[in-house]
Amino acid sequence: MFYVAAISLAFFLTLILFTKRGKTQADQLLAYWLLIIGIHLILFYIALTVDPYYQPYLIIYLPFPLAHGPMLFLYTASITGLQSGLTRKWGWHFLPFLLFCILLIPFFLLPHAERLVVFFNKGRGYEWMLGLHKIMIVISGVVYVSLSLWILRKHKQTLRDRFSKVEKINLVWLRYLIYGIGLIWVAVFYGDDVIIFSMVALFVMVLGYFGVKQVGVFTEGFFPLSADGSVVTEPDSSNEMQSVSFTPIEEKGKYLRSALSQQLVTEIHLKLKQVMTEHKLFLNPELTLAELAGKLEVHSNHLSQVINSAEGKTFYDFINTLRVDEFKRQVALPENRKYTLLALAFECGFNSKTAFYRNFRNATGQSPTDYLRKQHIEIKDI
C-alpha cells in the first residue's frame, strides 16, 4: 500500500501541475519529473509483485535514475532564474539516460529463455554494464545535487544584490527538495533497492506535503525569479524548453560592467548618495534595485556594480545599513522617546523585528538594546 499511495500521489500531483492555471516552465519541469518518478516507482512495484517469469522485461527501469539528476538541476535553474550555460543545451544532460537505454537493447533482443538465465544469475555476462550503471548513477547524483546547491547559493546572493527585503523571498522548500534527493543518493551507496525505492516513495509524499504547504507550488500564484531578479508574473506559453531564453546574470553583469569606466562609477555613486540623502528612498521597505536604478536613470546592473565596488556591499546590505543609520538618528531625538523601538524601526524601512535586529547587529556589532544602553537612551523595546 505504501508504494501504491506514493505512485498515486505522484500521478495526482502531475495532473495538478499540468492543469494548473498560469503554469510556468518550472511547473512543467516539475510535472514531467513527477511523471518520471511515478513511472519509475510503478515499474519497480510491478517487479516486486509480478511472476518472476516476466521480471526480465521490467529492468527497463534501470536507466531512470539517470534522469532524476538532470530534472532536479533543470527545475532548480528554472525556478530560481539563475540558469547557467549548462542549461542552454539541456538535451545533453539526458545523454547518459539515452546511452544506457541503448546498452539495454542487446539484452532485450535475446530469446526470453536466455534473458531469464541472465536475470536469475544476477546479470552474468553483463557485469560490465551493471558496473557502469552504478558508476554513472553515483556520478550523476553527486554532480547534479552539487550543481543544484550551487545555483541555490547563487540565487541567494542575487536576492541580496536585487532586493532590500529578502526575508519573505526564499526557496526553503526547494532546498529541502535538493537535500531529499541527496539523501536518496546516499542510500544508493549503502542501501538495496527496497530501501532506495522506499525513500523515493517517502520523498514523493514529503514533496506533496511541503509543495501544497508552500503557497502556489501546486496552485496559482507561485512565480519564480527571472534572470534580471524580478518576479515572473506571466506564465511561459511555450512547451518547448529550447525556446526559453536563458540569460545568466553572471555573464550579463560582466558584459555590462566591462563598459563602465571608473569615472562613470564615481558619478553614479555621487548621484546615489545625493538621492539617498535628499529623498531617503531606503525608507520604502519594498525598495528594489530596479526601482532605485529607475530613479537614478541608470541600468540596474551598472548600479549593482557601483554599490558593490564603491560601497563594498550588496544592495541588501547597503540599503539596510542606511536604515540602521536612520534609526540611530531618529532614536537620538528626544521627541521620539514616546515610540517603541520596533515602531521606529518600521519607520526607518524595516519590515520585521527579526530583520531589524539582524541588520542592526551586522552593521554595528551589537544589538539595538545594547546600543541604546551605551547611548543612555531609554525607549520601550516593543
Side-chain angles (χ1 to χ4, degrees):
M1 284 298 297
F2 179 60
Y3 290 116
V4 173
I7 293 166
S8 301
L9 180 59
F11 289 133
F12 177 66
L13 295 177
T14 299
L15 179 63
I16 290 177
L17 286 168
F18 276 133
T19 57
K20 176 181 175 180
R21 291 179 56 193
K23 58 179 173 292
T24 64
Q25 182 201 39
D27 294 326
Q28 294 174 24
L29 284 168
L30 183 58
Y32 284 119
W33 189 17
L34 283 167
L35 181 62
I36 292 172
I37 292 174
I39 295 172
H40 195 180
L41 278 172
I42 200 170
L43 288 173
F44 175 73
Y45 179 70
I46 293 174
L48 286 179
T49 57
V50 77
D51 189 296
Y53 179 84
Y54 301 103
Q55 286 185 353
Y57 293 101
L58 296 171
I59 66 168
I60 191 65
Y61 71 75
L62 285 179
F64 276 69
L66 298 172
H68 298 310
M71 292 303 298
L72 169 67
F73 170 67
L74 293 173
Y75 176 69
T76 303
S78 180
I79 203 171
T80 59
L82 293 181
Q83 298 94 340
S84 69
L86 290 172
T87 58
R88 294 179 183 176
K89 302 294 184 180
W90 64 270
W92 291 98
H93 295 281
F94 296 95
L95 279 181
F97 172 83
L98 294 175
L99 173 62
F100 206 78
C101 287
I102 294 172
L103 290 177
L104 284 176
I105 292 176
F107 173 79
F108 283 106
L109 292 178
L110 293 174
H112 183 68
E114 293 184 27
R115 286 199 297 271
L116 285 172
V117 171
V118 173
F119 182 80
F120 287 114
N121 284 278
K122 299 181 179 180
R124 188 176 63 187
Y126 290 85
E127 292 86 355
W128 66 271
M129 187 175 70
L130 295 176
L132 178 63
H133 177 252
K134 185 80 170 183
I135 293 172
M136 290 169 68
I137 290 177
V138 170
I139 292 175
S140 179
V142 172
V143 169
Y144 285 110
V145 169
S146 299
L147 283 173
S148 299
L149 289 173
W150 174 78
I151 286 181
L152 204 58
R153 186 171 65 250
K154 297 296 291 184
H155 169 72
K156 183 178 180 180
Q157 179 62 37
T158 299
L159 288 180
R160 297 179 73 89
D161 281 334
R162 303 279 170 172
F163 298 94
S164 64
K165 181 186 75 172
V166 300
E167 285 73 24
K168 293 184 179 180
I169 308 175
N170 64 74
L171 290 175
V172 174
W173 177 80
L174 178 60
R175 183 179 294 111
Y176 289 155
L177 186 150
I178 297 172
Y179 289 161
I181 290 294
L183 286 175
I184 292 173
W185 252 285
V186 171
V188 171
F189 284 94
Y190 303 105
D192 57 20
D193 283 350
V194 173
I195 293 176
I196 294 170
F197 281 92
S198 295
M199 291 184 67
V200 172
L202 181 62
F203 170 78
V204 171
M205 294 179 177
V206 173
L207 174 66
Y209 172 76
F210 282 105
V212 171
K213 191 175 181 181
Q214 175 77 45
V215 177
V217 173
F218 292 108
T219 57
E220 187 178 4
F222 182 73
F223 300 106
L225 294 180
S226 67
D228 65 356
S230 60
V231 177
V232 177
T233 57
E234 293 295 332
D236 179 9
S237 60
S238 170
N239 288 326
E240 296 187 15
M241 293 180 62
Q242 297 94 322
S243 66
V244 178
S245 176
F246 293 124
T247 308
I249 287 177
E250 295 81 5
E251 293 181 10
K252 187 176 182 181
K254 288 179 181 178
Y255 172 77
L256 291 172
R257 287 196 291 268
S258 66
L260 198 60
S261 65
Q262 184 57 46
Q263 179 181 353
L264 192 54
V265 169
T266 302
E267 291 176 2
I268 295 175
H269 186 222
L270 290 174
K271 189 176 181 180
L272 171 66
K273 293 174 67 176
Q274 180 183 356
V275 167
M276 284 301 184
T277 301
E278 295 179 358
H279 300 286
K280 295 187 177 182
L281 300 178
F282 55 84
L283 296 180
N284 174 13
E286 306 291 336
L287 183 66
T288 66
L289 180 73
E291 292 173 4
L292 181 55
K295 294 286 186 181
L296 298 175
E297 298 181 340
V298 299
H299 195 285
S300 58
N301 280 20
H302 283 167
L303 179 58
S304 179
Q305 182 199 350
V306 169
I307 295 173
N308 291 337
S309 60
E311 293 289 337
K313 298 181 177 76
T314 63
F315 173 73
Y316 175 85
D317 292 330
F318 171 67
I319 296 299
N320 283 289
T321 298
L322 292 176
R323 290 169 178 167
V324 169
D325 291 340
E326 180 67 14
F327 172 83
K328 290 160 69 175
R329 285 192 293 270
Q330 294 296 327
V331 80
L333 299 176
E335 60 266 30
N336 286 335
R337 303 294 168 81
K338 60 184 177 181
Y339 301 112
T340 65
L341 182 150
L342 196 56
L344 283 178
F346 285 166
E347 287 296 317
C348 295
F350 292 102
N351 66 308
S352 70
K353 183 177 180 179
T354 300
F356 168 58
Y357 270 76
R358 182 191 303 115
N359 284 285
F360 194 95
R361 184 176 291 278
N362 289 341
T364 66
Q366 56 188 324
S367 69
T369 51
D370 289 340
Y371 171 81
L372 296 176
R373 190 180 303 113
K374 291 180 181 179
Q375 298 297 318
H376 305 290
I377 299 175
E378 293 186 5
I379 189 171
K380 294 181 180 179
D381 188 18
I382 58 174

